Amino acid sequence: MPATVIAGIEIPDTALVREATTLVSAAADPVVFHHSCRVFLWGSVRGRNRGMSYDPELLYVGALFHDLGLTDAYARNDQRFELDGADAARRFLLERGVPDVGARLVWEAIALHTTPEIPWRMAPEIALVTAGVEVDVLGIGYEEISEEERAAVVAAHPRPGFKKDILQAFTRGIAPRPATTFGNVKADVLERYVPGYVRPNFVDTILNSAWPE
């Protein structure tokens, strides 16, 4: 059976990838599932364009599991949602014989995917999960991907109404645990002591990105 290739990116045809796809597609709603698949593809395209070498299986699992903490089956109310997905991915990989070093890379990729800049200084698998999230959610790196590549990815994994739908998914996933959403404390310092400073708003960044919907 020929390999699936989308926007020049080959989806690894391995048992690990098939099992990851089955698990996440069962646990997540279509919005989160297709978003996660796009994250793998955007991250892969950005990595290819930069000449980065990475393990496609590990990147795939990192991308597919990165928002698993937003699902009913994996969400916990006592920790950040990123850790839910990171912990689940690490267990999944170790149970299937992936060495701890690989499982740890994926854990770090998911745990850090909402932390700007830092993942780009780390291993490619970590950086490229964030790279994919940046494109799909925030529109960062949108222009690095050709119109044809964007069309191919969105045809395979559609995103109708995605901006509003993913914001609703975020809200549902974190509303039961508001204490875990505290962000970078440096924004509090600037807001208090720098006249005219306006805290960047995550929702505005999503709604004003280059994506039409």
Side-chain angles (χ1 to χ4, degrees):
M1 184 174 180
T4 299
V5 178
I6 302 170
I9 300 300
E10 183 175 328
I11 309 300
D13 184 19
T14 66
L16 188 71
V17 163
R18 289 191 293 272
E19 289 180 28
T21 304
T22 298
L23 185 152
V24 177
S25 63
D29 66 17
V31 172
V32 170
F33 175 70
H34 287 294
H35 160 58
S36 300
C37 293
R38 293 192 303 270
V39 165
F40 168 73
L41 293 164
W42 303 136
S44 297
V45 171
R46 295 184 80 186
R48 181 191 64 198
N49 291 349
R50 286 169 164 74
M52 297 169 70
S53 178
Y54 59 91
D55 184 318
E57 280 190 306
L58 295 183
L59 177 58
Y60 188 89
V61 174
L64 266 286
F65 278 69
H66 85 279
D67 271 348
L68 209 57
L70 300 177
T71 68
D72 291 341
Y74 289 88
R76 292 173 46 172
N77 289 340
D78 62 337
Q79 63 181 17
R80 290 173 55 146
F81 87 94
E82 301 94 331
L83 296 178
D84 297 338
D87 291 345
R90 186 172 185 275
R91 286 194 303 270
F92 173 86
L93 292 168
L94 292 176
E95 288 169 358
R96 287 156 181 79
V98 174
D100 186 68
V101 63
R104 184 70 186 182
L105 274 180
V106 173
W107 188 94
E108 292 173 353
I110 298 171
L112 292 171
H113 83 267
T114 59
T115 303
E117 297 188 51
I118 291 173
W120 282 104
R121 303 293 185 94
M122 302 179 74
E125 294 81 4
I126 299 171
L128 295 179
V129 169
T130 289
V133 172
E134 287 177 345
V135 173
D136 207 52
V137 179
L138 302 172
I140 296 171
Y142 181 91
E143 299 299 339
E144 295 178 29
I145 300 168
S146 72
E147 184 176 346
E148 293 76 17
E149 289 167 336
R150 292 197 298 265
V153 171
V154 173
H157 297 287
R159 45 175 291 152
F162 176 71
K163 290 180 178 182
K164 291 182 179 178
D165 288 344
I166 197 63
L167 287 170
Q168 290 175 356
F170 290 155
T171 303
R172 287 193 303 269
I174 63 179
R177 41 177 160 180
T180 70
T181 64
F182 183 74
N184 190 318
V185 296
K186 299 301 187 294
D188 293 336
V189 176
L190 297 178
E191 190 172 65
R192 180 66 61 88
Y193 296 112
V194 178
Y197 175 78
V198 177
R199 179 192 295 270
N201 188 284
F202 183 63
V203 174
D204 289 341
T205 302
I206 293 176
L207 294 177
N208 294 326
S209 80
W211 286 106
E213 60 182 11

